[in-house]
């Protein structure tokens, strides 16, 4: 399995599952936690790298550029110079590019296996990378919070488990209010993302240092690990999306085959 296959698998896993934190105050109920975790974060532009492993392959270094409610951009370059492959998660679609062959492809979230069944969208993907909560189809945090319920509360260590009543994603929070696990089950498939090692990016603004995504199809398990490296607030200027103006569009399956032939 190559790096790009790992990135493409991460794309599929990302839409199957869903912290930047602006306050460390304890909240009294599920709605208060939900509103904060659903709201726009204090830092809305972030750049950095991820050290990525997929099963026994890797680690590989993937550049990451994220702009809140706009784009999650991942790219892989040879020796940090020539961009070989890139993925953009956008509001309405996923764009895959293989600049080496000057081609790209587009697909909707519903084109990715299990997404319709899981009720996942761009905000779910965004929440996965930003370690935030989301509710399918609702962008307003107060309205979305009305669909969040408290499943479990441990008064001893402050752990809470929240769930939404639309997609039934489960969010486990620690005593600091950071999301430590996001999970989702649909027939024949169970997916989860686990986070650890939370660190402050800037004063009062946190991200996890580690993320591990696990997906089980029937009895077959696949795991994707990422270590956040050098993440920092970024300038909000300029377009962070893939420039497809000089690329030719081809079907997604052909693009993936091209990348596999190159990297395997």
């Amino acid at each position: 399995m190559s790096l790009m296959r790992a990135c493409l698998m991460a794309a599929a896993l990302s839409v199957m599952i869903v912290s930047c934190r602006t306050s460390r105050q304890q909240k009294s109920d599920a709605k208060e936690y939900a509103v904060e975790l659903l709201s726009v974060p204090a830092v809305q532009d972030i750049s950095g790298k991820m050290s990525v492993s997929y099963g026994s392959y890797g680690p590989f270094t993937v550049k990451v550029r994220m702009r809140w409610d706009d784009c999650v951009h991942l790219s892989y370059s040879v020796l940090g110079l020539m961009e070989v492959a890139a993925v953009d998660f956008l509001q309405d679609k996923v764009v895959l590019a293989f600049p080496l062959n000057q081609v790209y492809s587009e697909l909707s979230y519903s084109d990715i296996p299990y997404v319709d069944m899981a009720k996942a969208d761009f905000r779910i993907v965004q929440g996965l990378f930003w370690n935030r909560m989301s509710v399918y189809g609702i962008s307003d945090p107060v309205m979305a919070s009305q669909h969040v319920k408290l499943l479990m509360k441990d008064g001893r260590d402050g752990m809470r488990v929240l769930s939404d009543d639309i997609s039934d994603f489960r969010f486990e929070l620690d005593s600091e209010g950071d999301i430590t696990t996001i999970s989702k089950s649909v027939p024949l498939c169970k997916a989860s993302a686990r986070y650890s090692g939370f660190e402050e990016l800037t004063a009062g603004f946190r991200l996890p240092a580690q993320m591990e995504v696990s997906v089980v199809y029937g009895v077959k398990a696949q795991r994707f690990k990422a270590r956040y490296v050098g993440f920092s607030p970024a300038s909000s200027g300029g377009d962070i999306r893939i420039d497809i103006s000089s690329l030719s569009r081809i079907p997604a399956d052909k693009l993936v085959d091209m990348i596999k032939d190159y990297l395997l």
Side-chain angles (χ1 to χ4, degrees):
M1 180 68 69
S2 65
L3 169 63
M4 189 55 196
R5 290 182 68 187
C7 289
L8 295 178
M9 179 58 68
L13 304 187
S14 297
V15 297
M16 283 297 302
I17 55 182
V18 99
S19 128
C20 306
R21 303 286 285 120
T22 58
S23 171
R24 314 313 305 159
Q25 296 179 351
Q26 295 294 317
K27 304 296 184 296
S28 61
D29 59 28
K31 297 296 186 294
E32 287 185 81
Y33 276 107
V35 168
E36 181 175 344
L37 290 168
L38 289 161
S39 296
V40 176
V43 178
Q44 298 178 47
D45 278 86
I46 296 177
S47 65
K49 299 177 181 179
M50 284 185 171
S51 178
V52 175
S53 299
Y54 179 80
S56 61
Y57 300 90
F60 308 97
T61 299
V62 176
K63 292 183 179 179
V64 182
R65 184 73 166 82
M66 303 191 294
R67 179 167 295 159
W68 185 257
D69 275 352
D70 178 56
C71 178
V72 174
H73 174 85
L74 310 178
S75 65
Y76 171 66
S77 300
V78 175
L79 301 176
L81 300 174
M82 181 178 66
E83 186 177 69
V84 173
V87 180
D88 276 356
F89 298 101
L90 306 175
Q91 290 272 4
D92 59 343
K93 60 188 175 184
V94 179
V95 179
L96 311 175
F98 188 37
L100 192 66
N101 280 18
Q102 296 186 316
V103 294
Y104 79 100
S105 183
E106 297 181 357
L107 61 160
S108 66
Y109 289 97
S110 60
D111 291 328
I112 302 173
Y114 294 100
V115 169
D116 279 343
M117 190 182 300
K119 289 188 173 67
D121 57 11
F122 166 76
R123 296 182 66 82
I124 299 293
V125 179
Q126 177 173 258
L128 172 68
F129 286 99
W130 288 73
N131 187 239
R132 303 283 290 190
M133 186 180 290
S134 62
V135 173
Y136 180 76
I138 304 177
S139 58
D140 180 81
V142 175
M143 291 180 62
S145 71
Q146 303 307 309
H147 293 273
V148 176
K149 57 186 177 182
L150 179 67
L151 297 184
M152 185 172 68
K153 177 179 179 181
D154 189 330
R156 180 181 56 189
D157 61 14
M159 184 269 289
R160 287 171 169 77
V161 179
L162 307 181
S163 176
D164 75 276
D165 63 13
I166 296 179
S167 299
D168 196 32
F169 282 91
R170 292 167 62 98
F171 304 87
E172 295 184 18
L173 280 62
D174 62 17
S175 59
E176 294 294 314
D178 293 313
I179 298 174
T180 58
T181 303
I182 300 169
S183 60
K184 169 75 180 184
S185 294
V186 297
L188 302 179
C189 183
K190 180 178 180 180
S192 66
R194 300 182 183 278
Y195 306 89
S196 60
F198 291 89
E199 301 174 353
E200 274 199 340
L201 204 61
T202 61
F205 186 85
R206 292 157 62 89
L207 278 177
Q210 305 279 350
M211 174 176 66
E212 179 175 356
V213 177
S214 174
V215 172
V216 178
Y217 297 100
V219 297
K220 184 178 180 181
Q222 301 176 354
R223 288 180 173 80
F224 165 85
K225 295 182 180 180
R227 180 169 61 88
Y228 290 63
V229 181
F231 272 63
S232 62
S235 169
S236 59
D239 191 352
I240 68 173
R241 303 182 183 192
I242 298 168
D243 181 4
I244 61 174
S245 60
S246 61
L247 307 181
S248 299
R249 183 171 178 176
I250 64 173
D253 57 346
K254 290 186 178 180
L255 185 144
V256 172
D257 286 342
M258 257 184 216
I259 294 171
K260 288 162 60 178
D261 290 342
Y262 172 79
L263 293 176
L264 285 179

